[in-house]
Amino acid sequence: MIIYNVTSNIHASIHDQWLAWIKEHIPHVLATGHFTEAKLTKVLVHDPEGSVTYSVQYRAKSREALESYYKNDADKLRDVGFQIFGDKVLSFRTELEVIDEYSVKFN
């Protein structure tokens, strides 16, 4: 299982606008059919300049699905955000391989 992680640092001046936008953007990424789910998380760090960092983790159906996303959809979807927010959002992407998963079950 592969997780496609996008970490974004958001300038304070556009934070609320970006947060509303990303909540609408994530369903568009899922609609490509390459991912099974997504999680939006806030990175808990304090930035003295007021910027906020978020991570979106998309669970890919397979390595092939992620490669297809890169080939067919990624550039187009990335460009949408860049056209709206420009350099006020700095993002980097990582791929994570899930080795094992654990959970606690309560009775």
Side-chain angles (χ1 to χ4, degrees), residues 1-4 59-60 95-102:
M1 183 71 54
I2 302 293
I3 294 173
Y4 174 58
R59 187 174 288 252
E95 296 176 8
L96 308 169
E97 180 180 7
V98 176
I99 303 300
D100 229 339
E101 293 187 270
Y102 305 88

Side-chain angles (χ1 to χ4, degrees), residues 3-8 18 22 26 38-41 54-58:
I3 294 173
Y4 174 58
N5 182 74
V6 181
T7 302
S8 301
W18 181 87
I22 197 68
I26 291 170
K39 292 180 184 175
L40 171 63
T41 62
Y54 289 89
S55 169
V56 182
Q57 298 179 353
Y58 299 95

Side-chain angles (χ1 to χ4, degrees), residues 34-69:
H34 303 298
F35 305 100
T36 60
E37 66 181 17
K39 292 180 184 175
L40 171 63
T41 62
K42 183 177 182 180
V43 179
L44 300 177
V45 295
H46 173 71
D47 184 326
E49 295 183 20
S51 67
V52 183
T53 302
Y54 289 89
S55 169
V56 182
Q57 298 179 353
Y58 299 95
R59 187 174 288 252
K61 290 182 175 180
S62 64
R63 160 60 60 196
E64 295 77 21
L66 183 56
E67 292 299 328
S68 180
Y69 171 76

